[in-house]
Amino acid sequence: MSWIDERAADLDADEFGFDVVPASDQSFENALAKARDGVRLTVDDGIELITTGTDVDGIDSRRKELVLEAADRRRAAVVGDEVTFIANVNNNVTTACNTGCLFCNFKDTAHQFETDYQQEHGGFTKTPAESREIVGDAVERGVYEVTSVSGLHPALGLNEEHRELLDPDDPELNYEPPEAYETDPTTYREQIAAMADTGAHVHSMTPEEVDHAQRGADWGYERVYRELADVGLKTVPGTAAEILVDEVRDIICPGKISTEEWVASMEAAADVGLPMTATMMYGHVENEAHRVEHLKVLRDLQDRTGNITEFVPLSFIHQETPLHEHGVVESGASKAEDELLIAVARLFLDNVEHIQSSWVKYGDEFGLKLLNCGADDFMGTILSEEITKRAGGEYGEFRSFRDYVEMLSAIGRPPVERTTDYTERRRIDTDAAVFGPELGPRADGTPLLE
């Protein structure tokens, strides 16, 4: 049993003893009235809406529908009926990671990648040349964006100067020299440059990766973002957020940066001029109050920076994760919880225009339904998706433009191709004979896959 499994086995879902609990000094009716009138919601308001009232046990179906209706009307008023999506590819550089998050089955313990490791495993590490080839092929097909989110490989550093100053004998630095591994991932600088060389819009470097890229050097998050922006980084995925309440993070990802550090990293990205998304992974050990507290952290960050382009809810995929395998959680969020999370996010995040419904997390049918609960973006084509699949996700890895046109037309919503930061949008002619991307650097309307 690995130390990750041992930690999961020691947890008891009934003994977390959270200080943050779903309680408020507000009533459901007052909170709903404020939401309908466009009044900025308090955390107590959000708790009332996401629980359908703290005066009832469970979710009240009638009240839930009232919240969903208010959110759908807000969505229509803020962004209209168009549903956006992007032509993108995922290129995760490595699965090697020693962080030990209990919700994750994407990672492989970094020791498995060392030259003297004899057993087989399903992980991977890509060289910059391999990343360039994968992304380059996708760009030639018409892709606009590459999303790259990877494990924290011990040999990775910001640049060669960073790798030279890291001491492999200091366990706190999580560093091993590249010669210890079968494949050298090189540096963040080289990987980002390789992907950017293809002409793709590079959407990469989570706050956790940026922290890893300056560990032991104390250069600061801004220097990392600035150096990587100089070689082609364009926007930042606000993942590694999970739940931005430290009492939850201490349980599910104690090796990750704190809420304060996550926010500081995002503020540094804004200072460098890199637009960013923001995420929440919910449906594990946290409660409804934690979810609303998380939304408050994001809303405050957006008030200060105005830099968040999109909120991306990530419903916990539990099947192949340590939390599930050791009985800490029996399942992820219910569909009613998914609906309320999307809806309350739309009502609470009054300064973030776009909210995503993920077909990878929710599937096609339910993902489309969430577009009537406050969401307005339907993710992207994702020519390769590894993280959710390795956690037990069941909804596939690729979505064609024709799929988008057919699904969105069926619910009466106009499909719109977009860029990562929403600055360019192309409303698709649903009467066309063929459907393909046109915003990518090599895109000409040809379908991504023939």
Side-chain angles (χ1 to χ4, degrees):
M1 180 183 290
S2 72
W3 67 269
I4 297 172
D5 290 328
E6 289 176 357
R7 175 173 173 78
D10 287 339
L11 294 177
D12 184 334
D14 296 325
E15 297 181 359
F16 291 143
F18 290 131
D19 292 329
V20 178
V21 295
S24 80
D25 61 4
Q26 184 58 276
S27 72
F28 174 83
E29 289 76 16
N30 286 345
L32 181 63
K34 290 174 68 175
R36 286 170 168 169
D37 292 342
V39 177
R40 173 162 275 201
L41 302 178
T42 65
V43 168
D44 283 335
D45 295 327
I47 290 172
E48 285 300 308
L49 296 177
I50 207 167
T51 61
T52 64
T54 54
D55 61 324
V56 298
D57 293 329
I59 292 173
D60 180 286
S61 59
R62 181 189 65 84
R63 286 180 172 183
K64 183 196 74 170
E65 292 304 319
L66 295 175
V67 177
L68 304 188
E69 179 185 21
D72 193 43
R73 290 185 176 183
R74 178 73 60 81
R75 182 271 309 160
V78 173
V79 294
D81 287 335
E82 293 181 341
V83 176
T84 52
F85 64 95
I86 190 168
N88 68 339
V89 63
N90 279 10
N91 179 58
N92 304 311
V93 170
T94 181
T95 61
C97 192
N98 289 332
T99 305
C101 300
L102 301 184
F103 57 81
C104 180
N105 200 42
F106 173 68
K107 82 285 181 180
D108 297 277
T109 305
H111 173 62
Q112 296 174 295
F113 295 80
E114 295 177 1
T115 55
D116 58 356
Y117 189 78
Q118 301 299 317
Q119 300 178 41
E120 293 185 1
H121 63 88
F124 60 84
T125 297
K126 299 169 186 172
T127 65
E130 290 170 328
S131 290
R132 183 183 295 107
E133 181 179 1
I134 291 167
V135 178
D137 176 69
V139 168
E140 290 300 322
R141 293 172 183 266
V143 154
Y144 175 83
E145 170 198 286
V146 54
T147 302
S148 183
V149 177
S150 300
L152 306 181
H153 195 299
L156 271 171
L158 175 60
N159 49 33
E160 287 302 332
E161 178 189 357
H162 185 212
R163 294 211 292 188
E164 289 173 5
L165 65 82
L166 289 170
D167 181 1
D169 294 324
D170 184 346
E172 292 187 4
L173 296 181
N174 185 25
Y175 176 72
E176 292 289 341
E179 56 267 22
Y181 296 95
E182 288 283 354
T183 301
D184 178 10
T186 69
T187 65
Y188 287 108
R189 180 186 178 93
E190 289 174 86
Q191 288 283 355
I192 295 296
M195 290 184 276
D197 284 347
T198 68
H201 176 110
V202 181
H203 183 59
S204 187
M205 297 305 295
T206 72
E208 196 70 34
E209 289 176 291
V210 169
D211 186 69
H212 192 64
Q214 58 95 49
R215 67 195 190 282
D218 297 324
W219 286 335
Y221 300 137
E222 185 172 334
R223 170 171 170 173
V224 176
Y225 283 124
R226 197 171 299 282
E227 178 163 337
L228 296 179
D230 287 344
V231 297
L233 180 65
K234 296 297 185 184
T235 54
V236 173
T239 54
E242 325 321 345
I243 294 293
L244 292 171
V245 181
D246 285 334
E247 65 176 6
V248 175
R249 300 178 73 80
D250 288 345
I251 291 172
I252 65 170
C253 53
K256 278 192 169 182
I257 57 177
S258 67
T259 297
E260 181 180 5
E261 290 166 330
W262 188 93
V263 170
S265 181
M266 290 285 89
E267 289 178 331
D271 289 342
V272 172
L274 294 169
M276 60 206 184
T277 59
T279 67
M280 176 199 297
M281 189 196 69
Y282 65 95
H284 38 87
V285 306
E286 92 294 346
N287 60 44
E288 298 93 337
H290 291 125
R291 298 172 193 176
V292 180
E293 291 285 357
H294 179 111
L295 293 175
K296 179 65 161 56
V297 171
L298 297 185
R299 191 174 71 184
D300 289 348
L301 174 63
Q302 183 73 333
D303 278 345
R304 295 192 299 273
T305 68
N307 204 51
I308 299 173
T309 60
E310 177 181 38
F311 173 60
V312 183
L314 303 170
S315 193
F316 177 53
I317 304 298
H318 67 283
Q319 288 89 335
E320 304 294 335
T321 65
L323 283 174
H324 177 63
E325 290 172 353
H326 293 280
V328 181
V329 298
E330 294 183 359
S331 65
S334 68
K335 288 189 174 182
E337 288 178 290
D338 290 329
E339 291 171 326
L340 285 165
L341 191 284
I342 294 273
V344 173
R346 171 59 72 185
L347 297 168
F348 195 92
L349 296 176
D350 54 18
N351 51 7
V352 177
E353 283 193 3
H354 303 290
I355 296 177
Q356 185 179 103
S357 171
S358 166
W359 56 263
V360 169
K361 300 292 185 184
Y362 304 117
D364 292 344
E365 182 179 356
F366 189 56
L368 289 169
K369 182 179 182 182
L370 293 175
L371 294 172
N372 293 322
C373 299
D376 68 299
D377 183 71
F378 206 30
M379 209 175 180
T381 56
I382 310 185
L383 284 173
S384 173
E385 204 293 320
E386 292 138 344
I387 297 175
T388 296
K389 178 175 65 176
R390 286 167 68 97
E394 301 173 348
Y395 298 118
E397 301 173 55
F398 172 69
R399 176 66 65 245
S400 72
F401 269 50
R402 180 170 292 278
D403 289 338
Y404 272 113
V405 170
E406 291 176 351
M407 288 190 296
L408 297 175
S409 296
I411 63 170
R413 301 283 288 277
V416 174
E417 180 188 6
R418 66 168 174 90
T419 56
T420 307
D421 59 4
Y422 290 85
T423 55
E424 293 183 62
R425 301 160 66 100
R426 178 181 71 94
R427 189 158 177 166
I428 294 173
D429 178 5
T430 56
D431 294 325
V434 295
F435 303 103
E438 295 185 13
L439 297 182
R442 305 281 188 275
D444 61 3
T446 302
L448 284 169
L449 295 180
E450 298 290 353

